[in-house]
Amino acid sequence: MKKLLYIVCTVCAIVSCARMGQPDGGWYDDDPPRIIGSTPTDGATGVTTQKVTIQFDEYIKLADAAQKVIVSPPQLEMPEIKEAGKKIVVELKDSLKPNMTYTIDFSDAISDNNEGNPLGNYTFTFSTGEQIDTFEVSGNVLDASNLEPVKGILVGLYDDLSDSAFKTKPLLRVSRTDGRGRFVIKGVAPGEYRVYALQDADGNYIFNQKSEMVAYSHETYKPSCKPDIRQDTIWKDTLHIDNILRVPYTHFYPDDVTLLAFQEVQTDRYLLKQPERTEANRFTIYFSYGNPQLPVIKGLNFDEHDAFLLEASEKKDTLTYWLRDTTLVNQDTLRMELSYMMTDSLGQLVTQVDTTEVLAKTSYEKRMKERKKTIEEWEKKQEKQKKRGEPYDSIMPPEPLKVKYNVKQQMDPDYVSTFEMPSPLVHCDTSAIHLYTKIDSLWYNTPFDFHRRDSTLRLYEFIAEWQPATEYSLEIDSAAFVDIYGVASKAQKMGIKVHSMDDYATLLLQLTGISDTSVVVELLDKGDKPLKQVRARNGDAEFFYLAPATYYVRAFVDKNGNGRWDTGDYEKDLQPEDVYYYPKGIECKAKFDITLPWNLTGTPRTQQKPGAITKQKPDKEQKKLQNRNEERARQLGIEYIKESSIIK
């Protein structure tokens, strides 16, 4: 009996030591700090003081208070929020409003000083009137373009239901979204409200800058609540349930508000920076926004007439001027008068005239020294070959035009090859381009189309009817391409093999759930990047020649038919084009034809985007310490039960 008692005591001592030991072998403290008092008390009414002091049972840390702590109604003058040992002091700078419920939402900013255990979503409440408003409005904010949860954006209410309120009045009550894009606005009084989201750049709680991400809806909400029951699961371990408890609570509505946030097109036009001349033969002007009326250039130390060849981006916000004359190329400084359209302080386009100097990054003298060095090195090499009796050249051949051929040796049947020219062409000889097909060991001429891509200056498309499981030879004669400086391309030969149909899968999506017929469907990779795009026809979207892989799918309603997603405009009451995600990854296997029905609205928007391609992940700080202790228990081979989680 004594021996048995000795063994029991020894085991108890070992376990006790493990629980009380240091992190190198014992348990971590995963209990959050506990509130032991406050001035005024939490939930107090008739409050007149602007200073709140909250006391804790241990030393605490307050992380990123400026971003995480939200006072509602919003404060135009930033409150002073600071930690002091075992307490937090909040001093409001704005005058208190009469008969108003105030909430100080700390989110997860509070944690203990030693282990960093977060207190969780803690909100302190008081009222300047005789009662506390207790209603809540909650939901989610998603990025309208890709349904990503938007973290850290303000969400607020107006009881003024006019459209102008968002641009003229501060938000009435506010909250901020967490890592899931989830928000909870607390302390709401009975009434009818509209809900807005605002990425407030200037801290005035008003939408007054186009650069601010926003979300809005014309739907109105009347907060309410009712008693409800939730199920809390008590786990024995990661696999076994110990008990399921039915816990009564107050359920606040609405709890499913979904806002789709967008950023308006930045139409204010101004010069982003001085013109750049990274290469001697061209300079580039960068604008914040394009305009059909292009700049007018007047040369001050050169003749601007017929001096340039303009290469404009699709939106005409980036303009590259190629210098036609080598005399100008060799001129280090180009002084010019630049006349262009810019937005003034009233938002109107006016003519702006600047005088500027455009300097070559590398001077003419330095370029000539580098050229001379290259020639000398080449001559030395030829001299060595001559002494060894090897073939040599007496004159250094000119550098060829370095065309970038975007042609794959292993090609998909629907691949479009491109030729990217290093400089604008003055001569393009399509008769010097040849495509041959191998049929039964013999080579035959094959038709193709070669043209410059629309709205580009230096990018050309090479299109052919590529047949599966077929070999091709693409051959280009020398001097097929000559640029504006007289530099010619060299001969080129490329072998191409097109994959067999047995290497591919086909995917057919049958779309339902919306009445719009102008739907564009995109096939995505695991990084949420588009690989292919098709326009749905009669409710069907079909993708051919898919290599074996797991794909994801996104669709958007192309209201204006331009083939790309377009954002919204609050002033025009224009919502961004609707975006939908197929809620699962689609595994495609070679030789398989897959047909899937897809109800675009069958799954709530907040649950559509698959977690595997969602970049904004939920915050994990609250579980960090508990996971460490669970791992410690696993290592010791014993059961871990967090005492504070057990309801007695």
Side-chain angles (χ1 to χ4, degrees):
M1 188 68 180
K2 290 182 179 180
K3 185 176 181 181
L4 178 59
L5 181 60
Y6 173 77
I7 293 173
V8 171
C9 291
T10 303
V11 171
C12 290
I14 293 172
V15 173
S16 177
C17 289
R19 297 254 338 170
M20 297 176 64
Q22 297 303 313
D24 59 355
W27 298 94
Y28 297 96
D29 170 21
D30 57 4
D31 288 322
R34 188 166 56 90
I35 298 167
I36 58 175
S38 65
T39 305
T41 58
D42 194 353
T45 58
V47 174
T48 58
T49 179
Q50 294 176 238
K51 185 175 182 180
V52 174
T53 303
I54 306 171
Q55 297 171 328
F56 297 86
D57 65 341
E58 59 181 314
Y59 289 98
I60 53 95
K61 291 186 296 187
L62 187 63
D64 197 11
Q67 291 297 317
K68 290 188 175 184
V69 181
I70 298 292
V71 178
S72 196
Q75 306 292 289
L76 296 181
E77 187 174 353
M78 184 66 68
E80 184 178 333
I81 306 171
K82 58 185 179 182
E83 63 185 72
K86 296 183 180 181
K87 63 183 179 181
I88 290 176
V89 179
V90 179
E91 189 168 352
L92 304 182
K93 301 299 183 180
D94 289 0
S95 299
L96 296 179
K97 298 179 180 180
N99 298 315
M100 179 65 67
T101 295
Y102 280 77
T103 57
I104 306 173
D105 187 350
F106 290 92
S107 182
D108 60 352
I110 302 172
S111 61
D112 66 33
N113 190 58
N114 294 325
E115 296 290 354
N117 299 308
L119 178 59
N121 294 319
Y122 171 61
T123 302
F124 183 91
T125 307
F126 68 89
S127 175
T128 57
E130 297 180 356
Q131 64 181 22
I132 296 286
D133 296 320
T134 58
F135 284 140
E136 298 179 2
V137 175
S138 59
N140 293 78
V141 181
L142 304 176
D143 188 320
S145 66
N146 55 19
L147 301 192
E148 281 281 322
V150 180
K151 179 181 179 180
I153 193 170
L154 283 174
V155 185
L157 304 178
Y158 282 111
D159 56 5
D160 182 343
L161 306 182
S162 64
D163 292 341
S164 61
F166 194 31
K167 303 195 78 171
T168 57
K169 298 179 180 179
L171 291 162
L172 183 64
R173 301 203 69 81
V174 293
S175 177
R176 199 184 293 276
T177 55
D178 61 15
R180 301 171 299 160
R182 185 77 180 166
F183 68 88
V184 181
I185 304 173
K186 300 179 181 180
V188 181
E192 187 174 6
Y193 301 91
R194 286 177 65 175
V195 186
Y196 297 80
L198 173 65
Q199 208 166 47
D200 195 15
D202 50 9
N204 64 356
Y205 301 93
I206 297 173
F207 175 41
N208 61 345
Q209 297 187 31
K210 281 195 169 187
S211 60
E212 296 174 328
M213 179 178 268
V214 297
Y216 73 98
S217 169
H218 289 297
E219 189 172 356
T220 62
Y221 300 92
K222 295 181 178 180
S224 62
C225 67
K226 70 174 185 178
D228 209 339
I229 300 291
R230 69 166 180 262
Q231 292 185 343
D232 281 0
T233 303
I234 305 299
W235 293 85
K236 285 185 177 180
D237 51 44
T238 56
L239 298 176
H240 302 92
I241 296 175
D242 182 59
N243 194 9
I244 297 179
L245 303 178
R246 291 173 58 82
V247 181
Y249 75 106
T250 301
H251 195 151
F252 293 98
Y253 297 94
D255 62 351
D256 58 353
V257 178
T258 300
L259 295 174
L260 299 174
F262 63 92
Q263 192 174 30
E264 294 184 357
V265 174
Q266 308 302 295
T267 55
D268 288 350
R269 191 171 197 257
Y270 50 89
L271 199 63
L272 288 174
K273 54 185 174 181
Q274 289 299 309
E276 286 186 343
R277 191 180 173 191
T278 55
E279 298 293 337
N281 62 351
R282 61 187 181 272
F283 64 89
T284 303
I285 304 176
Y286 301 93
F287 290 96
S288 61
Y289 192 73
N291 190 277
Q293 186 174 336
L294 298 173
V296 176
I297 295 176
K298 179 182 178 182
L300 300 180
N301 65 344
F302 66 95
D303 184 1
E304 77 278 3
H305 296 291
D306 203 31
F308 312 120
L309 194 60
L310 175 61
E311 180 179 9
S313 64
E314 183 181 359
K315 296 180 179 180
K316 292 184 171 56
D317 53 0
T318 302
L319 307 174
T320 299
Y321 293 83
W322 291 84
L323 307 177
R324 293 176 179 271
D325 192 342
T326 53
T327 303
L328 285 184
V329 175
N330 295 335
Q331 187 171 321
D332 287 342
T333 302
L334 301 176
R335 289 193 297 110
M336 64 187 73
E337 184 181 271
L338 187 64
S339 176
Y340 59 93
M341 303 301 293
M342 70 166 284
T343 306
D344 65 9
S345 58
L346 299 177
Q348 302 297 318
L349 281 174
V350 297
T351 301
Q352 172 73 18
V353 180
D354 293 337
T355 300
T356 185
E357 289 188 346
V358 183
L359 279 67
K361 185 177 181 180
T362 306
S363 67
Y364 175 73
E365 182 181 0
K366 186 174 181 180
R367 295 198 305 273
M368 290 301 99
K369 286 182 178 179
E370 292 175 351
R371 173 67 176 168
K372 182 179 179 182
K373 183 179 178 181
T374 301
I375 294 174
E376 289 174 349
E377 290 175 351
W378 181 85
E379 288 176 342
K380 288 179 181 179
K381 181 179 178 182
Q382 299 304 308
E383 186 64 28
K384 289 180 180 179
Q385 291 181 198
K386 180 180 179 181
K387 290 180 179 180
R388 292 195 297 263
E390 298 174 357
Y392 68 95
D393 293 323
S394 57
I395 300 176
M396 183 177 176
E399 281 284 327
L401 190 68
K402 296 179 180 179
V403 181
K404 183 179 179 181
Y405 297 101
N406 299 312
V407 180
K408 295 182 178 180
Q409 290 183 327
Q410 300 289 326
M411 187 178 290
D412 297 330
D414 59 348
Y415 182 76
V416 176
S417 300
T418 58
F419 297 2
E420 188 175 345
M421 306 300 167
S423 47
L425 298 184
V426 71
H427 174 72
C428 177
D429 185 4
T430 55
S431 66
I433 305 173
H434 314 279
L435 181 65
Y436 303 101
T437 306
K438 186 178 183 181
I439 304 175
D440 297 331
S441 74
L442 298 177
W443 293 92
Y444 297 88
N445 278 306
T446 301
F448 60 87
D449 178 51
F450 185 77
H451 61 269
R452 195 174 72 184
R453 181 174 288 179
D454 291 342
S455 76
T456 66
L457 182 64
R458 297 179 293 113
L459 191 65
Y460 293 76
E461 292 183 341
F462 183 86
I463 301 174
E465 191 174 337
W466 306 108
Q467 297 298 322
T470 304
E471 290 186 45
Y472 295 85
S473 178
L474 176 59
E475 301 176 15
I476 302 171
D477 299 338
S478 60
F481 312 115
V482 181
D483 75 356
I484 58 176
Y485 308 113
V487 182
S489 60
K490 65 179 181 180
Q492 189 77 23
K493 183 175 181 179
M494 291 163 277
I496 300 168
K497 185 174 182 180
V498 181
H499 290 290
S500 165
M501 287 298 293
D502 289 343
D503 296 332
Y504 298 108
T506 300
L507 173 62
L508 172 64
L509 294 163
Q510 299 171 327
L511 311 183
T512 59
I514 62 172
S515 58
D516 294 276
T517 57
S518 55
V519 178
V520 173
V521 184
E522 295 176 312
L523 194 74
L524 312 172
D525 64 12
K526 61 182 180 180
D528 202 24
K529 299 287 181 61
L531 299 172
K532 294 175 182 282
Q533 177 180 293
V534 300
R535 186 174 293 276
R537 305 292 181 188
N538 299 318
D540 291 343
E542 194 161 15
F543 295 95
F544 300 96
Y545 311 121
L546 301 183
T550 297
Y551 298 97
Y552 301 88
V553 181
R554 173 174 61 211
F556 65 90
V557 179
D558 188 22
K559 293 179 181 178
N560 57 10
N562 65 357
R564 62 174 182 267
W565 179 83
D566 290 293
T567 189
D569 189 309
Y570 184 77
E571 194 68 36
K572 297 177 181 178
D573 192 17
L574 182 66
Q575 290 282 359
E577 292 179 334
D578 285 321
V579 171
Y580 305 93
Y581 273 77
Y582 188 77
K584 299 178 182 178
I586 302 172
E587 184 180 1
C588 293
K589 298 180 180 179
K591 301 183 183 181
F592 277 75
D593 294 336
I594 303 171
T595 301
L596 294 173
W598 181 14
N599 183 345
L600 297 178
T601 56
T603 302
R605 205 77 67 98
T606 54
Q607 300 173 26
Q608 285 189 9
K609 189 164 188 179
I613 59 172
T614 300
K615 297 179 176 63
Q616 176 57 54
K617 303 297 183 183
D619 297 324
K620 297 181 179 179
E621 289 84 353
Q622 296 181 12
K623 289 190 175 181
K624 181 175 64 176
L625 268 296
Q626 182 176 340
N627 290 342
R628 286 164 59 186
N629 276 339
E630 288 175 351
E631 175 63 17
R632 177 72 72 216
R634 188 191 65 79
Q635 293 172 355
L636 295 174
I638 62 177
E639 180 181 353
Y640 172 76
I641 299 177
K642 186 177 184 296
E643 288 83 354
S644 60
S645 69
I646 300 174
I647 301 174
K648 298 181 180 179

